[in-house]
Amino acid sequence: MIGIFRKRKEVKIIHRYINERVAVFIDGGNMFHATNALKLKINYRRLVEILRKDRWLLRAYFYTGIPSGDLPKEVREQLRRQQGFLNELQNAGIKVKTIPLKKTPEGYIEKGIDILIATDMISLAYKDAYDTAILVSGDSDFIPVVEKVQEIGKRVENASFKKTSSYELRKVCDEFVLLDNIKHRFTTPLIPPKKEEEKSFVQKMKEFLKNIFGVKR
């Protein structure tokens, strides 16, 4: 009897377009901070395929900042590795968009990426290039952008790791995917687990005798 007074869990109704077209917008900096903390490496091609599901993909975009100008040796080496990674994304069919990093006394910082993503999301929405935008970021600064895209008549899905996810952003989007729950499908550990050291013959014999006869040697 008491059960009828329990508060029912709200179920979010998800509406989809017929022959739905999607575009994926990946905030590289936001994803880097999340995966760096979790010690994971992302297969972005696989991630895009998971998020698009069986829908028609316009394009996946990856946004990041790169250092420029007169760079110290260690930064040049970092840039070389970054460029190799960005080339891999391009070869995987993901369009890379970059802006120069701002140099400060504390180091290089990323400025303007959110504006670049917002511009593309809204511009492509106005051009009716997609039905649903998939925003891969947890940055709450995107809330006004999401609402504007929705006003144009488009859906916005959000995907992010819990580490860098904004509750307010998740709430305003039409659908949310917590990447932590499916990370085994598109990530690998940055530091491979240590292999168990080979046991000596004597150790193996001790364990064998203990398990079979309960004998200690």
Side-chain angles (χ1 to χ4, degrees):
M1 186 70 180
I2 298 175
I4 63 174
F5 297 105
R6 288 178 182 169
K7 186 177 180 181
R8 293 185 179 181
K9 185 178 179 181
E10 290 186 11
V11 178
K12 193 168 187 178
I13 300 174
I14 299 172
H15 301 281
R16 295 200 180 282
Y17 292 89
I18 299 174
N19 300 322
E20 189 173 1
R21 303 164 299 162
V22 301
V24 182
F25 303 89
I26 303 171
D27 182 349
N30 189 267
M31 292 294 281
F32 171 78
H33 290 304
T35 54
N36 192 47
L38 296 170
K39 307 299 181 187
L40 296 174
K41 180 181 179 181
I42 293 181
N43 181 331
Y44 279 99
R45 182 176 184 177
R46 182 61 185 144
L47 173 61
V48 169
E49 287 300 310
I50 292 170
L51 295 177
R52 69 172 288 202
K53 300 174 184 175
D54 59 348
R55 298 170 291 186
W56 183 83
L57 176 66
L58 167 69
R59 191 170 292 107
Y61 299 89
F62 184 91
Y63 302 82
T64 189
I66 57 173
S68 60
D70 188 16
L71 305 173
K73 183 179 179 181
E74 63 273 14
V75 178
R76 289 200 304 271
E77 178 60 25
Q78 179 184 349
L79 177 60
R80 185 186 66 79
R81 293 195 300 269
Q82 182 187 24
Q83 194 58 57
F85 164 70
L86 297 180
N87 289 339
E88 289 179 7
L89 292 182
Q90 293 275 26
N91 293 335
I94 299 173
K95 187 171 182 62
V96 175
K97 292 200 168 188
T98 64
I99 61 170
L101 294 174
K102 303 292 184 181
K103 187 175 182 180
T104 68
E106 292 75 28
Y108 291 90
I109 61 173
E110 194 176 82
K111 287 288 185 181
I113 285 292
D114 52 350
I115 296 175
L116 186 57
I117 296 175
T119 301
D120 283 352
M121 286 180 65
I122 294 173
S123 173
L124 290 171
Y126 270 118
K127 293 176 181 177
D128 192 31
Y130 64 79
D131 300 307
T132 297
I134 303 175
L135 175 62
V136 185
S137 177
D139 193 340
S140 61
D141 289 347
F142 286 112
I143 291 175
V145 182
V146 170
E147 293 176 332
K148 184 62 180 178
V149 170
Q150 289 171 332
E151 286 177 10
I152 300 171
K154 307 301 182 181
R155 296 177 66 254
V156 181
E157 297 175 4
N158 181 223
S160 63
F161 285 99
K162 186 177 181 180
K163 185 74 178 177
T164 55
S165 180
S166 161
Y167 170 73
E168 289 75 16
L169 177 62
R170 300 198 304 264
K171 187 169 62 174
V172 78
C173 289
D174 298 283
E175 190 175 341
F176 173 68
V177 177
L178 182 61
L179 296 179
D180 302 69
N181 292 341
I182 57 172
K183 63 184 179 183
H184 61 283
R185 298 174 60 190
F186 65 92
T187 68
T188 52
L190 278 176
I191 304 174
K194 292 182 179 179
K195 293 183 178 180
E196 186 179 356
E197 293 182 1
E198 287 292 328
K199 296 178 181 178
S200 67
F201 176 76
V202 176
Q203 287 175 315
K204 291 179 180 179
M205 285 303 298
K206 284 182 179 180
E207 290 183 4
F208 174 77
L209 292 172
K210 183 178 179 180
N211 292 334
I212 302 300
F213 303 106
V215 178
K216 295 182 179 179
R217 289 286 185 269

